[in-house]
Amino acid sequence: MIRLWNTRTRQDEALQPLQPGKVRMYVCGPTVYDRAHIGNARPVVVFDTLFRLLRHVYGLENVTYVRNFTDVDDKINARAAETRRPIRAITDETIGWYHADMDALGALRPTHEPRATDYIGPMIAMIEALIARGHAYAAEGHVLFDVRSFPAYGALSGRSVDDMIAGARVEVAPYKRDPMDFVLWKPSSDDLPGWDSPWGRGRPGWHIECSAMSRELLGETFDIHGGGIDLQFPHHENEVAQSCCANPSGKFANIWMHNEMLQVEGKKMSKSLGNFFTVRDLLDQGYPGEVIRLVYLQTHYAKPMDWTAEKAAQAEATLRKWRMLTAGAAPGAVAEAVVAALSQDLNTAGALAELHRLAGAGDAAGLLASAQLLGLLEPEMGAWAEVTIDLAPYAAQLGALRDKAMESKDFSAVDAMKSALMAAGVEVRMSKAGVELLPAAGFDPAKLPVLA
């Protein structure tokens, strides 16, 4: 039984699929005008891990995962104007970047990746239904959702409409009946993307996209809706309102899941602080995607996460050890304790603790299968950990130096070589049985000492 924390009800709930044996999940995807930063990648890893768990429990063919691309947006329009490039060229290129970067993190492609521009018709139809039911109105080429027409508005984020208005410091457009009303459709000038509609040539507002695409691909009600906590209000709140009003017989999403935000070295990520990184930045700096993924998995999705160089170094060392242990092994059975941990609100830290236990017990087959459930130790992600240099001669020389030192009682040469090996990122293990050398975090063959 999988249990998840439901943001909507603010309680832990058992996942009970609306269609027995089949699970449907929607996660808000990126607006495609630039590279994804490492905060954008957190929900990708979180919900990819949930996707993997659901497929393990229900079967690959019984899980439908939808993550959209917003490819019509004012930021995209601004980038096109700035670069004088066609909008489609920008969005196609950015989607390609996104796929490459998320693939590097070991994220599986969702079942469906709809582009907003392919669903303009369903968006217009949903807006027409909202107007017909008295939940939206046209004004000066715009169509706006009437927030006061939906009494439950604010329930998802725990806010009241009156409090939101009192705290607002934004200039209210004259065509709005209420300051909280939000745009479903807006007019487009000749130099902007636009589609013909009953209200004139225009383009959709941001929120209506996900409501229309999720209904088309998953139905009026589905099992799980996910995304970052920064989307809870207003995006997800608005999705709930327009979807429930357009589809009165549906509930939209049964369980809502939100991942917390990401920091870098204990501080909010900001370009002004010089700690703003895209996923590609980290990959280009030499951080393997698998290492980045493991750092993400170490923190529960509902808690703030801190990316640090120290965590990355520890993750790299751990993965090197696990890959050496599982080299040549075939995956066995996934450990029940790993599945049990993930089934308790995606407790990835608990699942990783079990992987450490399996590694300590020398269970290579169990470790490999269980790690792969978490998107780790996949064969195609391991090139970074391959050692192309034989460390045996270095171990032999260190052993010989130690034998001489045992007679002379002068261990300076042993200490010097040991220090040089460690500086090259080699873990040195010395015991009565002999000398063992293992590549560790930051292993760099170019820094190895010269053999005598």
Side-chain angles (χ1 to χ4, degrees):
M1 176 65 71
I2 297 175
R3 301 191 67 85
L4 301 168
W5 181 262
N6 190 344
T7 311
R8 181 176 62 83
T9 60
R10 294 164 181 78
Q11 63 184 16
D12 177 76
E13 295 182 8
L15 173 61
Q16 297 177 318
L18 292 161
Q19 186 178 356
K22 295 183 180 294
V23 181
R24 290 169 290 166
M25 176 171 70
Y26 187 94
V27 175
C28 291
T31 299
V32 285
Y33 69 99
D34 206 346
R35 290 275 188 184
H37 60 66
I38 59 175
N40 300 142
R42 192 178 190 197
V44 174
V45 174
V46 166
F47 293 103
D48 176 70
T49 305
L50 179 57
F51 184 36
R52 289 169 179 272
L53 173 66
L54 294 172
R55 297 196 335 162
H56 177 77
V57 173
Y58 291 95
L60 274 63
E61 69 284 358
N62 294 320
V63 182
T64 303
Y65 173 21
V66 178
R67 186 182 65 217
N68 71 294
F69 286 117
T70 294
D71 62 344
V72 52
D73 182 88
D74 290 344
K75 291 180 180 178
I76 301 173
N77 299 339
R79 182 58 55 87
E82 173 190 339
T83 60
R84 298 184 179 181
R85 297 180 64 203
I87 285 175
R88 185 73 185 201
I90 292 172
T91 57
D92 284 352
E93 178 182 59
T94 307
I95 288 173
W97 289 344
Y98 188 83
H99 277 148
D101 294 346
M102 299 309 120
D103 288 352
L105 301 185
L108 302 171
R109 298 284 178 90
T111 316
H112 301 287
E113 293 183 289
R115 295 174 66 131
T117 52
D118 291 335
Y119 288 80
I120 300 297
M123 293 179 208
I124 291 174
M126 182 173 280
I127 294 170
E128 288 180 311
L130 288 168
I131 293 175
R133 292 190 170 98
H135 294 292
Y137 58 94
E140 299 182 23
H142 295 75
V143 180
L144 297 109
F145 183 86
D146 181 357
V147 166
R148 298 286 183 178
S149 74
F150 183 57
Y153 189 84
L156 178 65
S157 57
R159 310 178 183 205
S160 76
V161 175
D162 290 331
D163 287 345
M164 286 187 271
I165 293 175
R169 295 183 179 179
V170 294
E171 184 177 347
V172 179
Y175 47 79
K176 284 189 177 184
R177 294 178 183 172
D178 188 282
M180 294 308 298
D181 292 352
F182 58 88
V183 173
L184 300 172
W185 189 264
K186 53 189 172 183
S188 289
S189 56
D190 292 340
D191 61 331
L192 293 175
W195 291 263
D196 292 333
S197 79
W199 318 286
R201 184 177 181 276
R203 60 195 190 279
W206 175 33
H207 313 299
I208 195 68
E209 297 175 11
C210 291
S211 288
M213 289 187 282
S214 62
R215 184 175 72 175
E216 290 296 305
L217 295 169
L218 299 175
E220 293 183 359
T221 308
F222 50 93
D223 300 295
I224 301 169
H225 194 312
I229 192 67
D230 56 317
L231 298 180
Q232 185 183 40
F233 183 86
H235 185 51
H236 290 164
E237 194 75 72
N238 293 351
E239 279 187 70
V240 172
Q242 62 201 11
S243 293
C244 289
C245 290
N247 311 302
S249 61
K251 292 174 57 181
F252 192 38
N254 268 1
I255 292 178
W256 283 84
M257 296 177 65
H258 292 94
N259 65 272
E260 261 290 352
M261 305 297 285
L262 178 145
Q263 296 180 323
V264 176
E265 302 290 349
K267 296 180 181 179
K268 182 178 179 180
M269 189 167 61
S270 167
K271 290 182 179 179
S272 63
L273 294 176
N275 66 348
F276 181 93
F277 300 105
T278 65
V279 174
R280 180 51 49 184
D281 288 336
L282 292 186
L283 294 170
D284 288 347
Q285 288 172 21
Y287 289 104
E290 187 177 32
V291 169
I292 299 171
R293 184 183 183 95
L294 179 54
V295 174
Y296 284 143
L297 294 175
Q298 290 171 349
T299 303
H300 189 267
Y301 77 89
K303 295 181 179 179
M305 178 200 147
D306 190 15
W307 168 272
T308 69
E310 181 182 358
K311 287 182 180 179
Q314 293 171 348
E316 180 181 335
T318 294
L319 287 167
R320 283 192 184 278
K321 291 177 182 178
W322 287 354
R323 283 198 169 273
M324 290 189 69
L325 176 62
T326 58
V334 175
E336 292 183 7
V338 171
V339 177
L342 294 177
S343 297
Q344 291 300 313
D345 196 29
L346 215 59
N347 180 6
T348 52
L352 291 174
E354 180 61 19
L355 295 190
H356 283 290
R357 190 197 68 77
L358 292 168
D363 185 353
L367 172 62
L368 186 57
S370 301
Q372 289 179 348
L373 177 60
L374 286 161
L376 302 170
L377 304 189
E378 297 282 9
E380 64 273 14
M381 294 184 70
W384 69 272
E386 294 176 0
V387 179
T388 56
I389 188 167
D390 185 7
L391 295 177
Y394 296 89
Q397 180 166 320
L398 183 58
L401 289 174
R402 185 179 68 165
D403 290 342
K404 290 181 180 179
M406 294 295 287
E407 296 177 3
S408 66
K409 306 303 180 183
D410 179 4
F411 286 86
S412 57
V414 174
D415 292 339
M417 185 170 185
K418 183 177 178 181
S419 296
L421 288 168
M422 292 173 65
V426 177
E427 181 181 349
V428 181
R429 297 180 180 180
M430 302 177 71
S431 66
K432 293 181 180 180
V435 176
E436 183 180 12
L437 303 182
L438 301 172
F443 175 64
D444 184 355
K447 295 181 179 180
L448 288 169
V450 177
L451 292 172

